[in-house]
Amino acid sequence: MLPPRNPDQILKARGADTRPEGRFEMHRRERESDGWDIPEEAHLLRTEVVTEQPRSIITRNSSPDIAFDRSINPYRGCEHGCVYCYARPSHAYLGLSPGLDFETRITAKPDAARLLERELARPSYRPAPIALGTNTDPYQPVESRLAIMPGILRVLRDWNHPATLVTRGQTVLRDLDLWAEMAAKDQAAVGVSVTTLDAGLARALEPRAPAPATRLRMIRDLSRAGVLVRVMVAPVIPVLTEPEIEAILAAAREAGATTASMIPLRLPHEVAPLFRDWLDRHRPGMAAHVMNRVQAMRGGRDNDPRFGHRFRGEGVEAQLALQRFRLARRRLGYREGGPPLDCSRFGPPPRAGDQLSLF
């Protein structure tokens, strides 16, 4: 049971409706009348951004489910407000709620580019593609104002270091020249997430993310600039978005995507009750059907966190969706996978006063 929403706050374009405590909190807060019937003026809940000064910017992982071993996230939290976002539980490590806090209390790392260059310059560093935006979207709305990503991309470009990106934020087009420059050296690939082609459903699921038509335009502009684009049909939500698998793949292929991937809905930790609450508010007539189908793919549970299962699901439901995806991908002419990114040119950029080589 989620706590009741704060009646003094007006929510506009938010995915979550409340602030449930994170799983590490020892106490829970409840609203209770103190007997004083003093009216309080309701106010619009706005996004707050604070800065963080980390000592390093590259995060390492050894997950067997993930194709990369290092990543960079310029932000904690994400204003897009996607109710199903698997990253919401990470806000609990900050003592914040994976609900409304995740999408309204954002932490930015403005010093990311300097930290990245310092780490790349270490003699012990060995290059491999860096994944950008693996936990929260680096091109979420606040990026249009803070502009952390151009600095990161310039460092990667100057060091000839390959990078991949996962985003649904249209601000990526602001940096199109940088992505195109890296792509021309086989050092960049971008994944654009398209959950649904239904603008109304997208607005409810992902209230501050670009509309589906805008994401298709992002694919088109990136691909025309020479950037390898992967459409990510993710998450696939049974009943709600699962019928659109083929339509999404067709629209993205027409826009210029050359590779495609699919991940069924994941509901780790606090995300499951938040998503159930969203269903009750936005799709009450479908709620039971959706969750029954989710559990059919997750061994009877809301979520299955096991390596090898969390990104694929199991059972007949998961297998049928995967077969449909693979058949449509083959029919539409998608590649099975993109070419490897080039790490061979990695090295420090030339500095003023450096001695030039004759060869």
Side-chain angles (χ1 to χ4, degrees), residues 70 120 125 127-130 156-157 159-163 182 187 346:
R70 63 200 72 183
L120 297 184
Y125 184 83
I130 290 179
L156 293 171
R157 176 201 62 189
W159 283 76
N160 283 304
H161 195 296
M182 293 175 64
Q187 293 174 349
F346 173 76

Side-chain angles (χ1 to χ4, degrees), residues 210-268:
T214 301
R215 295 185 221 180
L216 293 175
R217 178 170 60 85
M218 290 161 50
I219 293 175
R220 184 173 295 107
D221 290 352
L222 285 162
S223 62
R224 285 178 177 173
V227 181
L228 178 68
V229 181
R230 171 169 57 112
V231 60
M232 304 174 65
V233 189
V236 174
I237 305 175
V239 183
L240 290 181
T241 68
E242 172 261 332
E244 298 184 68
I245 290 175
E246 292 84 357
I248 293 172
L249 287 172
R253 186 74 181 102
E254 183 180 0
T258 55
T259 62
S261 62
M262 183 198 84
I263 300 177
L265 179 67
R266 297 169 53 205
L267 299 174

Side-chain angles (χ1 to χ4, degrees), residues 184-225:
K185 299 183 290 183
D186 297 323
Q187 293 174 349
V190 174
V192 176
S193 172
V194 182
T195 313
T196 176
L197 299 177
D198 182 332
L201 178 58
R203 191 178 303 111
L205 277 170
E206 311 153 340
R208 298 200 176 200
T214 301
R215 295 185 221 180
L216 293 175
R217 178 170 60 85
M218 290 161 50
I219 293 175
R220 184 173 295 107
D221 290 352
L222 285 162
S223 62
R224 285 178 177 173

Side-chain angles (χ1 to χ4, degrees), residues 25 165 353:
E25 302 303 309
L165 169 71

